[in-house]
Amino acid sequence: MPERLSQQEPGAAGLGHADRVRLESLRYATVPEAAEYLAIMRTFTSDIAGLLSDQSAAEVASRLQEQGIELDPDTADARLSYLVEHGNLARSPRENEAHSVREYLQARSRYQLTQIGELVHRQVEELLGTVEQAREVSSEMLGGILTGLTRLDSYDEASLAAVPPDRLASEIGTVFAQFERLVESTRDFYTYLSQVLVRFDLDRGEFQAFKTALLDYLQRFVDDIARHMPQLADVLIRLEPQVKALCARANEGQRLLSLDGRAARRSRGLDPADWDGLHAWFVGTGRRESDASGVRRLATDAMRALLVNLRRIASAAEREQSRYGDLLKLARWFDAADDHTAHALWAAAFGLYSCRHLGMAAETDDEPVPSATSWWHGPVADVPVTLRQYGHRTAKGRAGSRADFSAAKQARVAEREAAERARREALAELARHPGQLGSVRLSDQARSAVLDLYSRALTGHGRPLADGAEATAWAGGVRVSIRRTPGQSTVITSPAGGMELVGLSVTVMPAAAWAEAATPSQPGEVSA
């Protein structure tokens, strides 16, 4: 982050003076003459040469005229002076030989781009060019980040001293560039997703496309994170003690100094503080879970919101779900209508006419209201809900028939009982393999039960397993212990395929043996 130029005012809870001055550079994009200011800024940022060149008001007016924007030199000079006052431009310090006062004033009135002006205009152009549509998540960056971090983890003290600083800085910068791309694309995707989730006007076609995006694309992204996150967390934990040494070596050599003698800012990742964000995204902190875990949780919330929309569409398939399309059509009619037709359309669509004074007999004789009393000063009338919403006083129609969901409930209960019976059979099969599982063959249901207990044990442990650490979970009288054992692996095969847990040992203890060796619950032990 850029360093603060001034302290905040005493007792002020807002921004300091320097920050408020910087924010003034955004003003030109919101004033009524924003189109002219944007065109002027584009003449300074259209090519790379504009960063080091200066222009006069006459030159700017000439370039704008080529683009079809008529602006006389005096008005152009006023616009340029406005941009100078707000920090987007600066007067050129170039010295010129002048033979008259007029030549001196013309030479002095030359302008060049400032660093803040270039940054602000780049952000403005990016905002104007943004299209509100879905953006793919750069999940392919996960593999590159893992490869880069593994390469950095391979440096020991001798190889770190021998590697060139520029090469090390390039490797660190590549990792952080991929990380920023991943975070930015993930944030954009979930922002778009949240805008669609809050809509209650999705028709069947939009819902079908949205369902495909969620069930197919989002699930693949979550699976990629789940596959890479444990490895990335392990590498980052091993790298944490070496971060300062890596940054110190990468920052060696000749550095660019600013005018005040301090070293200029470098790429992300070359400051040890930059690694906190990377660590928080994949590993988390003691106070909160990792952002990668939060992404998986948001995916679950999105699925739940999708089911809410599905329930809304299926609950009343024959009724109109939204007035979204009607309002869009009405807006197009207003846009194409002249003034007289627009007034007639307004009256027909909303029933709003010009003000008229109406009078009616008072309901109570003791508090009569004269007919000349204005509605503004008169008492409030109690209008029935049916009259206000539907225009009639009596309720019409009959109550809808009550839906019978008993068959659906019985079917769901039967499905639940079958699933519980299959789960008990799988746990019973697992209990028939007591002790440490070296290489074992199980049914697909028993393999799923092992994986379920495995995930519960690691989730309850709350952090990556260290060498010799143990995480346990139990369900249905079967206890499973997971222990990190370098050099040993557990191989589980089933009709669906084989699976190898590298560096991990899995121990199964049935209920009888567990009761004999019962001890108080250890940290990380999770029950079903």
Side-chain angles (χ1 to χ4, degrees):
M1 295 179 61
E3 185 177 349
R4 301 291 186 191
L5 297 182
S6 66
Q7 301 293 332
Q8 292 190 358
E9 297 177 358
L15 297 172
H17 175 71
D19 292 329
R20 289 197 296 271
V21 170
R22 285 180 176 178
L23 292 177
E24 288 289 327
S25 58
L26 294 166
R27 188 181 295 274
Y28 77 93
T30 59
V31 295
E33 301 83 7
E36 297 177 359
Y37 286 119
L38 288 173
I40 292 174
M41 291 298 296
R42 285 167 182 158
T43 64
F44 286 91
T45 60
S46 57
D47 49 33
I48 191 65
L51 297 176
L52 298 176
S53 63
D54 53 8
Q55 302 181 70
S56 64
E59 293 172 348
V60 170
S62 176
R63 295 185 63 178
L64 292 179
Q65 189 175 9
E66 296 174 359
Q67 303 174 17
I69 302 177
E70 296 293 337
L71 206 65
D72 60 87
D74 292 337
T75 305
D77 187 70
R79 301 284 187 264
L80 291 167
S81 300
Y82 177 88
L83 293 171
V84 170
E85 294 174 2
H86 292 81
N88 304 97
L89 299 178
R91 297 191 182 275
S92 175
R94 186 177 65 178
E95 296 182 359
N96 294 278
E97 183 179 355
H99 300 284
S100 64
V101 175
R102 182 176 182 180
E103 289 183 7
Y104 170 75
L105 294 176
Q106 290 178 348
R108 180 180 177 276
S109 299
R110 299 186 68 86
Y111 305 87
Q112 66 181 23
L113 190 65
T114 63
Q115 184 181 12
I116 292 180
E118 192 275 335
L119 174 63
V120 168
H121 189 73
R122 176 158 35 90
Q123 299 296 331
V124 169
E125 292 287 4
E126 183 177 354
L127 176 63
L128 294 177
T130 300
V131 180
E132 293 185 357
Q133 63 181 12
R135 174 183 175 182
E136 290 189 353
V137 181
S138 302
S139 56
E140 67 276 4
M141 296 297 158
L142 289 167
I145 295 173
L146 178 59
T147 302
L149 291 175
T150 305
R151 186 184 301 112
L152 293 174
D153 184 47
S154 64
Y155 287 115
D156 54 15
E157 186 175 352
S159 59
L160 185 61
V163 66
D166 291 341
R167 175 184 167 186
L168 182 60
S170 174
E171 294 176 358
I172 296 176
T174 301
V175 170
F176 274 83
Q178 294 170 337
F179 172 64
E180 289 180 3
R181 176 80 175 273
L182 172 67
V183 173
E184 180 183 356
S185 61
T186 303
R187 186 183 299 114
D188 290 348
F189 176 77
Y190 275 100
T191 301
Y192 168 78
L193 203 60
S194 64
Q195 293 176 351
V196 181
L197 288 176
V198 298
R199 287 180 52 184
F200 286 90
D201 52 10
L202 295 175
D203 56 24
R204 293 184 178 273
E206 291 175 327
F207 174 81
Q208 194 72 20
F210 185 42
K211 176 181 71 66
T212 302
L214 272 180
L215 298 184
D216 296 341
Y217 182 79
L218 182 59
Q219 187 60 44
R220 290 199 305 270
F221 171 56
V222 173
D223 291 342
D224 288 341
I225 290 182
R227 184 169 59 254
H228 288 89
M229 189 174 68
Q231 306 174 62
L232 286 166
D234 290 342
V235 176
L236 284 171
I237 291 175
R238 292 196 305 267
L239 264 176
E240 189 173 6
Q242 309 175 30
V243 168
K244 292 185 178 180
L246 289 171
C247 294
R249 179 58 180 169
N251 284 293
E252 291 181 359
Q254 187 174 2
R255 294 289 308 277
L256 175 65
L257 300 179
S258 58
L259 296 179
D260 56 2
R262 290 178 296 182
R265 288 183 299 166
R266 299 198 70 182
S267 303
R268 287 285 308 275
L270 300 182
D271 187 345
D274 296 338
W275 288 74
D276 294 341
L278 187 65
H279 199 275
W281 215 89
F282 291 107
V283 181
T285 62
R287 293 172 294 179
R288 66 179 183 90
E289 63 178 358
S290 64
D291 293 338
S293 300
V295 168
R296 300 172 65 183
R297 176 173 47 78
L298 287 175
T300 304
D301 296 341
M303 299 293 183
R304 188 177 298 111
L306 178 68
L307 294 179
V308 172
N309 275 277
L310 177 60
R311 191 181 304 114
R312 176 185 53 80
I313 293 177
S315 62
E318 298 180 356
R319 289 187 306 174
E320 175 137 18
Q321 298 296 328
S322 171
R323 303 300 301 274
Y324 181 75
D326 294 342
L327 292 176
L328 283 181
K329 182 184 295 184
L330 182 62
R332 286 192 291 268
W333 288 351
F334 273 112
D335 184 61
D338 55 20
D339 187 67
H340 177 74
T341 306
H343 281 83
L345 185 61
W346 176 270
F350 301 104
L352 299 177
Y353 300 87
S354 58
C355 295
R356 295 179 175 88
H357 184 82
L358 303 178
M360 58 182 294
E363 294 184 358
T364 56
D365 297 334
D366 55 341
E367 296 182 0
V369 179
S371 59
T373 302
S374 171
W375 288 358
W376 186 265
H377 302 290
V380 178
D382 185 13
V383 181
V385 176
T386 56
L387 178 62
R388 182 171 65 248
Q389 292 188 353
Y390 307 109
H392 52 78
R393 293 178 177 271
T394 59
K396 298 181 180 180
R398 60 182 181 84
S401 59
R402 183 177 180 181
D404 184 11
F405 296 101
S406 58
K409 291 180 179 179
Q410 294 175 1
R412 300 292 85 77
V413 170
E415 292 177 1
R416 178 65 178 177
E417 291 177 351
E420 288 295 329
R421 184 167 55 254
R423 182 170 179 270
R424 288 194 298 269
E425 293 174 356
L427 291 174
E429 178 185 351
L430 188 61
R432 293 195 293 269
H433 297 80
Q436 182 172 341
L437 301 179
S439 179
V440 64
R441 181 173 182 83
L442 302 172
S443 65
D444 289 337
Q445 292 79 8
R447 180 179 62 85
S448 299
V450 172
L451 292 180
D452 180 50
L453 291 172
Y454 171 79
S455 62
R456 290 181 183 180
L458 294 185
T459 302
H461 192 66
R463 55 186 180 278
L465 281 176
D467 294 344
E470 182 181 10
T472 60
W474 60 272
V478 177
R479 177 175 178 174
V480 170
S481 301
I482 312 298
R483 184 183 297 273
R484 179 171 292 280
T485 54
Q488 299 182 13
S489 300
T490 301
V491 179
I492 301 175
T493 57
S494 67
M499 177 186 66
E500 181 179 1
L501 302 177
V502 180
L504 295 172
S505 63
V506 180
T507 303
V508 176
M509 183 179 296
W514 181 15
E516 295 177 0
T519 56
S521 299
Q522 300 297 324
E525 184 170 319
V526 181
S527 62

